[in-house]
């Protein structure tokens, strides 16, 4: 199994909803600390989000290739906002100059109002259709083909890359609507799901397997792991105390208008209610009260979190894309608590090799933080 961390390119905080006291402003120095620490702790890659609310993923990660050696960057981007030929050229350049450290997270876009900010006025089903056409061209170009293609949304003539990457970047793709499945099966290497209870994840994976039996799977979760379960659950209480009813009401009103089926499934786990947030053993839906997208967290002792990871892995999850608040500190708690436990059980190895003790990480205690 592989683990990825998350780069908070809109700034970081000790709370789900950032407060003036808890905000850690975005700097390339701070992102570099997270990236270097994730690399040394044993994470294979780091996801960088996309949207109007955060910094550009391509530019941010390109800067971080210079301060890391092995870490891959899972760059989220939206088809249709740039041409497929330019996207393939960017991917090829990134892949060559980084030493094959690019992964592509294709985000079709679930919210029409946000898409319109970028000049995209297609409806949701049309966006999925366009994504399929876009990836047909991108994949062909990255494989060295000359592409002439005319679809309903994408049209290129004799497009080609002057230089193709030695290794084609893997394509990660998520989507819970009926339109998403065929696109994933035709073009994706890894299908992504948000952190639902295991039974629901199993149903989704079974659906995708009917379309592509050899698909790899990834899951996107937050994590709150501590030496004891009591400490971990106490942290959920602290996070909730800093969330006001007005915060929940405002966010849930916005998410109720979402076109995303995956977002609707996240909302159904908690219904906007602070009670009943433990939706499965060690799976807490409190993050989704005030955050769109991935809304659940694995919560517990290091051993309990390792148990849940193995449970998802038994369903067929190959890759875990994790995050926590604040992202630097929580990466250490997971990397120094859960990963050694999984290694002790013989189900995980440090990607740099670990025939002996785990490679040393930057010391956590007393480490100065770039602000």
């Amino acid at each position: 199994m592989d683990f990825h961390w998350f780069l908070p390119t809109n700034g970081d905080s000790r709370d789900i909803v950032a407060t003036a006291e808890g905000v850690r402003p975005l700097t390339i120095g701070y992102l570099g600390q997270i990236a270097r620490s994730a690399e040394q702790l044993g994470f294979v890659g780091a996801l960088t989000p996309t949207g109007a609310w955060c910094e550009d993923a391509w530019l941010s990660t390109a800067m971080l290739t210079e301060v890391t050696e092995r870490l891959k960057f899972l760059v989220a981007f939206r088809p249709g906002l740039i041409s497929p030929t330019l996207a393939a050229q960017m991917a090829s350049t990134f892949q060559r100059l980084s030493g094959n450290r690019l992964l592509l997270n294709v985000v079709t876009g679930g919210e029409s109002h946000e898409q319109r900010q970028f000049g995209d006025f297609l409806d949701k089903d049309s966006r999925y259709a366009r994504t399929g056409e876009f990836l047909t061209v991108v994949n062909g170009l990255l494989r060295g083909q000359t592409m002439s293609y005319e679809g309903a949304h994408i049209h290129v003539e004799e497009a080609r890359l002057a230089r193709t990457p030695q290794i084609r970047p893997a394509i990660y793709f998520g989507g819970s609507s009926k339109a998403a499945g065929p696109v994933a099966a035709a073009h994706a290497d890894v299908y992504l799901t948000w952190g639902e209870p295991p039974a629901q994840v199993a149903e989704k994976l079974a659906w995708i397997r009917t379309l592509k039996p050899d698909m790899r799977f990834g899951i996107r979760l937050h994590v709150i792991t501590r030496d004891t379960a009591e400490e971990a659950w106490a942290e959920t209480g602290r996070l909730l105390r800093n969330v006001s009813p007005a915060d929940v009401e405002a966010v849930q009103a916005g998410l109720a208008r979402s076109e995303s089926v995956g977002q609707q499934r996240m909302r159904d786990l908690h219904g906007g209610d602070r009670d009943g947030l433990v939706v499965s053993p060690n799976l807490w839906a409190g993050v989704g009260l005030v955050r769109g997208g991935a809304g659940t967290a694995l919560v517990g002792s290091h051993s309990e979190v390792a148990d849940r990871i193995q449970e998802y892995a038994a369903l067929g999850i190959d890759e875990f894309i994790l995050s926590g608040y604040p992202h630097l500190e929580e990466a250490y708690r997971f990397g120094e608590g859960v990963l050694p436990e999984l290694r002790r059980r013989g189900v995980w190895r440090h990607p740099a090799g670990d025939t002996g003790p785990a490679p040393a990480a930057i010391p956590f205690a007393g480490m100065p933080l770039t602000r």
Side-chain angles (χ1 to χ4, degrees):
M1 60 183 75
D2 289 335
F3 293 92
H4 305 257
W5 197 242
F6 183 87
L7 296 172
T9 53
N10 63 322
D12 207 356
S13 175
R14 296 182 181 274
D15 298 299
I16 306 172
V17 177
T19 61
E21 294 78 16
V23 170
R24 187 171 294 163
L26 175 69
T27 67
I28 196 64
Y30 178 57
L31 287 181
Q33 283 185 301
I34 298 174
R36 289 191 301 274
S37 298
E39 179 174 75
Q40 293 172 335
L41 288 164
F43 293 94
V44 167
L47 171 66
T48 307
T50 183
W53 52 275
C54 61
E55 299 292 344
D56 178 74
W58 290 99
L59 295 175
S60 300
T61 53
M63 294 179 187
L64 295 174
T65 62
E66 285 296 289
V67 298
T68 52
E69 297 177 357
R70 173 187 48 79
L71 192 72
K72 297 181 180 181
F73 295 97
L74 183 49
V75 174
F77 76 103
R78 303 190 184 206
L81 303 186
I82 59 175
S83 80
T85 307
L86 178 58
Q89 183 185 35
M90 291 166 61
S92 180
T93 299
F94 196 118
Q95 188 73 321
R96 286 197 313 279
L97 298 184
S98 70
N100 299 314
R101 291 196 285 149
L102 175 66
L103 305 169
L104 296 173
N105 180 25
V106 177
V107 179
T108 297
E111 313 300 337
S112 290
H113 72 278
E114 185 180 21
Q115 292 296 120
R116 288 194 289 268
Q117 295 182 50
F118 292 96
D120 178 16
F121 290 85
L122 293 182
D123 61 30
K124 181 181 174 182
D125 284 348
S126 297
R127 290 197 297 270
Y128 273 112
R130 180 181 60 194
T131 295
E133 296 180 7
F134 183 95
L135 291 177
T136 296
V137 175
V138 168
N139 268 323
L141 290 171
L142 290 174
R143 291 188 173 103
Q145 300 172 17
T146 297
M147 298 294 297
S148 291
Y149 181 92
E150 184 172 2
H153 307 283
I154 300 295
H155 184 192
V156 297
E157 293 184 1
E158 298 185 7
R160 64 184 181 86
L161 297 179
R163 298 179 65 187
T164 55
Q166 183 182 26
I167 299 174
R168 180 183 65 86
I171 291 178
Y172 292 63
F173 182 89
S176 298
S177 66
K178 291 181 179 179
V183 176
H187 303 287
D189 301 290
V190 181
Y191 175 82
L192 297 177
T193 181
W194 284 331
E196 298 177 353
Q200 295 180 29
V201 170
E203 291 177 0
K204 189 179 289 187
L205 270 55
W207 165 51
I208 296 298
R209 286 193 182 103
T210 65
L211 303 172
K212 185 178 180 179
D214 62 345
M215 181 74 81
R216 285 178 58 85
F217 295 101
I219 193 167
R220 173 79 177 92
L221 287 154
H222 302 280
V223 63
I224 302 172
T225 182
R226 299 291 186 274
D227 292 337
T228 68
E230 291 75 16
E231 291 175 283
W233 288 107
E235 179 65 7
T236 68
R238 185 194 71 79
L239 290 171
L240 279 184
R241 284 194 297 274
N242 291 335
V243 171
S244 71
D247 291 330
V248 175
E249 182 178 359
V251 172
Q252 292 304 307
L255 295 179
R257 297 189 293 269
S258 174
E259 300 170 277
S260 167
V261 174
Q263 187 64 72
Q264 294 166 13
R265 291 167 69 107
M266 284 284 100
R267 291 189 69 248
D268 288 344
L269 293 177
H270 55 72
D273 193 340
R274 289 172 180 260
D275 298 323
L277 290 175
V278 181
V279 297
S280 185
N282 303 104
L283 187 65
W284 183 67
V287 177
L289 289 175
V290 286
R291 184 192 189 281
T296 54
L298 293 178
V299 180
S301 68
H302 305 314
S303 179
E304 289 172 336
V305 171
D307 288 341
R308 300 287 78 78
I309 285 172
Q310 287 194 262
E311 184 177 7
Y312 282 116
L315 299 177
I317 296 294
D318 307 291
E319 306 193 23
F320 295 81
I321 302 171
L322 307 174
S323 57
Y325 298 94
H327 289 77
L328 181 61
E329 286 89 330
E330 203 63 52
Y332 273 94
R333 293 187 175 101
F334 186 89
E336 295 181 343
V338 180
L339 289 183
E341 174 64 19
L342 291 170
R343 188 180 70 170
R344 185 188 66 78
R345 298 179 186 187
V347 297
W348 176 81
R349 293 187 62 192
H350 194 289
D354 61 351
T355 55
I362 300 172
F364 173 62
M367 180 175 59
L369 301 178
T370 301
R371 292 186 177 272

